[in-house]
Amino acid sequence: MRKPIIAGNWKMNKVIPEAIELVNGFKRALADISEVDIVICPTYMALSEIGDMLTESNIALGAQNIFWEPKGAYTGEISADMLKDAGCEYVIIGHSERRAYFGETNETVNKRLKCALAAGLTPIVCVGERLDEREAEKTFDVVGDHVTNGLAGLSNDEAKKTIIAYEPVWAIGTGRTATPQQAEEVHKFIREELAKIFGKDTADLMRIQYGGSVKPDNIKELISEPDIDGALVGGASLKVDSFSEIVKISAQCSAKQ
Ligand code: PGA
C-alpha cells in the first residue's frame, strides 16, 4: 500500500518569525499523526531555522528547488549539499510557476531530479497542463511529455523514490479544483505511463500527489480516488488550521483503507 503524503508548498511567503509561528502550530496540531507523511517546504531563508525546529518531529523539511551543480560560480543558486545541511529531506522540482516564469523545461527538471536523487533527497516532480492545453485536448500529451522526459534515464530504484505531483495549472491558486474524476483520470494515465517506462510493479509503488486549490473541504474526495496518494498544497498550507485539517482528513481516510 502507498502511504499518503501531504506536502505544503509555501512559495514566496512568510518571513522567519512568521514561519516559526506557523511551524509551532503544525507541531502542536499534528503531533499524533503517523498515517501520512507530512512535509513542509518553506522559503530558502527559513530552511535552516525550521530544520532545527523539526528535528525528531513527524514533519519533514523540503525545499522548493535545487540546482544540479555541486558548487561554484552560479549566483543565486542552491546546491543539494546546502539543502541537506539545512535539514531537507525533500525537494520540489519543476513546479509550474518555475516552468512559466523561470524557464524551467523537462530537460532542466531531469537534471535537477538526478541531482536530488544522487544526493539522497526525495524529489517531488510537478507535472500538469495549462488551461489552453486542456481546452485543446492536449492534457495527456503534455502530462505524458512531462513524465517521460522529466523522468528520462532513471533506474527503477530511483523511480520508486520519486514522487510525482499532478498539478493542473488552471487549478493552482484559482480556487478551481479539478473534480476528483478529472484528477483521477490523469493520475491513472500517469501511472500507466510510469508502468510503460519502469514496469507495473514499480509504477504501483510510486506516489502521485494531486495539487491545485486543495482545501479541507475537497481533500477527502480527492484522496479517496485509487490513484491519488496525497496532495501538494499551496495557499492552504499557509495557515495552521487549513493545513492541519487536510493532513488529519487524509490520515482518517488512510486509516479506513
Ligand atoms: P494552491 O497551490 O494549493 O494554492 O492552488 C498548489 C501548488 O502550486 O503547489
Side-chain angles (χ1 to χ4, degrees):
M1 209 182 87
R2 298 181 294 266
K3 188 174 184 187
I5 173 162
I6 306 293
N9 173 13
W10 292 9
K11 309 190 180 183
M12 197 174 72
N13 292 292
K14 307 283 177 193
V15 292
I16 294 174
E18 295 169 333
I20 292 172
E21 196 185 325
L22 190 55
V23 171
N24 275 327
F26 291 155
K27 283 175 73 175
R28 272 195 297 273
L30 300 173
D32 297 336
I33 304 286
S34 57
E35 300 87 346
V36 301
D37 288 334
I38 311 167
V39 183
I40 52 173
C41 305
T43 66
Y44 292 141
M45 292 302 295
L47 284 179
S48 204
E49 190 96 23
I50 303 300
D52 289 346
M53 289 177 74
L54 295 179
T55 314
E56 318 241 316
S57 81
N58 59 340
I59 304 175
L61 187 70
Q64 299 175 20
N65 199 5
I66 184 173
F67 187 54
W68 55 82
E69 291 294 344
K71 62 174 157 182
Y74 302 103
T75 303
E77 292 300 327
I78 195 151
S79 73
D81 277 354
M82 292 169 187
L83 297 183
K84 285 176 57 176
D85 185 45
C88 288
E89 294 174 62
Y90 291 81
V91 60
I92 298 171
I93 295 173
H95 190 278
S96 63
E97 286 148 19
R98 302 243 29 117
R99 293 181 193 255
Y101 309 139
F102 304 101
E104 198 80 51
T105 62
N106 289 330
E107 199 187 346
T108 56
V109 165
N110 189 253
K111 285 183 170 181
R112 293 180 208 278
L113 172 59
K114 286 179 177 158
C115 165
L117 286 163
L121 290 161
T122 300
I124 299 177
V125 180
C126 302
V127 304
E129 80 288 0
R130 298 189 310 259
L131 184 59
D132 59 313
E133 292 165 335
R134 175 161 280 261
E135 285 173 350
E137 300 189 354
K138 287 191 184 145
T139 298
F140 295 120
D141 291 345
V142 172
V143 173
D145 182 45
H146 285 174
V147 170
T148 318
N149 292 315
L151 274 64
L154 257 54
S155 68
N156 276 28
D157 275 350
E158 287 174 328
K160 281 179 203 158
K161 292 178 193 145
T162 300
I163 295 166
I164 311 267
Y166 168 58
E167 300 205 299
V169 180
W170 48 272
I172 295 178
T174 57
R176 191 178 156 191
T177 327
T179 64
Q181 294 71 30
Q182 278 175 323
E184 170 60 19
E185 185 186 29
V186 182
H187 279 239
K188 186 164 176 287
F189 166 78
I190 292 172
R191 205 174 301 286
E192 285 163 3
E193 291 298 290
L194 293 170
K196 280 190 214 157
I197 312 169
F198 303 109
K200 188 173 180 315
D201 290 352
T202 297
D204 282 344
L205 291 171
M206 291 177 69
R207 294 187 288 182
I208 310 174
Q209 298 176 304
Y210 169 79
S213 298
V214 172
K215 307 239 154 36
D217 61 10
N218 58 27
I219 183 66
K220 185 170 178 214
E221 282 179 298
L222 287 161
I223 208 155
S224 302
E225 293 291 338
D227 289 291
I228 300 185
D229 309 313
L232 182 55
V233 186
S237 74
L238 297 172
K239 293 210 172 87
V240 174
D241 289 356
S242 46
F243 188 67
S244 304
E245 203 50 28
I246 290 169
V247 172
K248 285 180 189 167
I249 295 168
S250 306
Q252 282 160 12
C253 292
S254 129
K256 270 189 224 136
Q257 276 176 6

